[in-house]
Amino acid sequence: MRQERRRVAGAERVGPYTLLRIERGGLDAGVPGQFFMLEAPGRLLPRPMSVCLAITGELAFLIDPIGPGTRALCSLDAGDTLAVLGPLGNGFRLDVERPLLVGGGIGIAPLPYLSSALGGPPAVLGFRSDWHAQAAALVPNAEVCVEPRLVTELVDREASILACGPEPMLHAVRELAPAAQLAWEAPMACGYGACYGCAVEIDGALKRLCVEGPVLHAA
């Protein structure tokens, strides 16, 4: 695997987020839940981004511009180039019965690609506002709730849950469904296990999310 440069195909606003589309070339999209390290020109460190959409000739990433690195990615225009490394990490297992996708906020980023791979199963999505909830349009068959209602109120605990979102939401999903597949989030510097910057403690053990995750089984 090597870092490659790719041209930006386009960028669209989706509520507060940006859907950044890059020319795919020979890149393998990987398994839903895996990620790419994207490095904007002039930035020292790349940022990890889950594949949101894998369509003919393009890969798309849903990005929340919350810091200098993500804002630099969101400022890219069609024709600009960026450095790309991936796919990295471990994604979701797709051999499940009665899948239910559960997402919170920018954690919905891998769910459109996951939904496509699973044939459009039901999804429940939670957001902090109606503005953020505009991103739900990317996920077919989704039921949406906005704070103060919690997405866990919509979860069918008998389903096979595949979830991505903020840590409190993942812990709550884990309580409801111990067998859920959970995609965790953490800052990453390298993306392949060298720096230990994404290590998180789960059940008393440190997990490097870039190599052991980001998708971990709750039990």
Side-chain angles (χ1 to χ4, degrees), residues 27-42:
L27 290 173
D28 179 0
V31 176
Q34 287 188 292
F35 65 94
F36 284 74
M37 299 298 288
L38 306 183
E39 182 180 329

Side-chain angles (χ1 to χ4, degrees), residues 139-179:
V139 184
N141 300 322
E143 184 178 359
V144 177
C145 68
V146 174
E147 291 183 3
R149 194 178 186 194
L150 300 177
V151 71
T152 46
E153 297 176 30
L154 307 179
V155 169
D156 175 3
R157 63 184 68 193
E158 300 301 321
S160 297
I161 294 173
L162 304 92
C164 185
E167 187 172 331
M169 187 204 87
L170 294 182
H171 284 297
V173 169
R174 189 182 189 192
E175 289 293 320
L176 292 173

Side-chain angles (χ1 to χ4, degrees):
M1 182 183 300
R2 69 179 187 273
Q3 190 181 68
E4 302 184 25
R5 297 203 69 80
R6 285 291 179 268
R7 190 180 303 274
V8 174
E12 292 86 35
R13 295 298 298 270
V14 184
Y17 311 122
T18 294
L19 187 67
L20 181 69
R21 299 182 290 106
I22 68 170
E23 295 179 357
R24 182 168 176 175
L27 290 173
D28 179 0
V31 176
Q34 287 188 292
F35 65 94
F36 284 74
M37 299 298 288
L38 306 183
E39 182 180 329
R43 298 301 307 171
L44 179 62
L45 294 175
R47 291 293 180 267
M49 298 292 158
S50 300
V51 176
C52 182
L53 294 167
I55 55 182
T56 302
E58 293 182 359
L59 296 178
F61 303 87
L62 189 66
I63 303 173
D64 190 1
I66 58 173
T70 49
R71 286 197 294 267
L73 290 171
C74 290
S75 70
L76 295 172
D77 294 318
D80 292 338
T81 62
L82 73 164
V84 180
L85 176 67
L88 300 166
N90 293 307
F92 291 98
R93 283 192 300 100
L94 305 179
D95 57 338
V96 294
E97 297 181 1
R98 293 189 63 223
L100 174 66
L101 311 187
V102 180
I106 192 59
I108 77 155
L111 300 190
Y113 182 30
L114 178 59
S115 178
S116 177
L118 291 172
V124 293
L125 310 174
F127 297 93
R128 72 180 69 175
S129 71
D130 291 333
W131 186 38
H132 292 81
Q134 291 179 33
L138 297 169
V139 184
N141 300 322
E143 184 178 359
V144 177
C145 68
V146 174
E147 291 183 3
R149 194 178 186 194
L150 300 177
V151 71
T152 46
E153 297 176 30
L154 307 179
V155 169
D156 175 3
R157 63 184 68 193
E158 300 301 321
S160 297
I161 294 173
L162 304 92
C164 185
E167 187 172 331
M169 187 204 87
L170 294 182
H171 284 297
V173 169
R174 189 182 189 192
E175 289 293 320
L176 292 173
Q181 297 182 59
L182 307 178
W184 298 81
E185 300 173 341
M188 296 181 187
C190 70
Y192 45 83
C195 70
Y196 281 76
C198 65
V200 297
E201 184 175 339
I202 298 176
D203 292 337
L206 288 178
K207 304 283 188 180
R208 289 175 298 168
L209 291 183
C210 65
V211 291
E212 298 174 84
V215 180
L216 301 173
H217 299 288

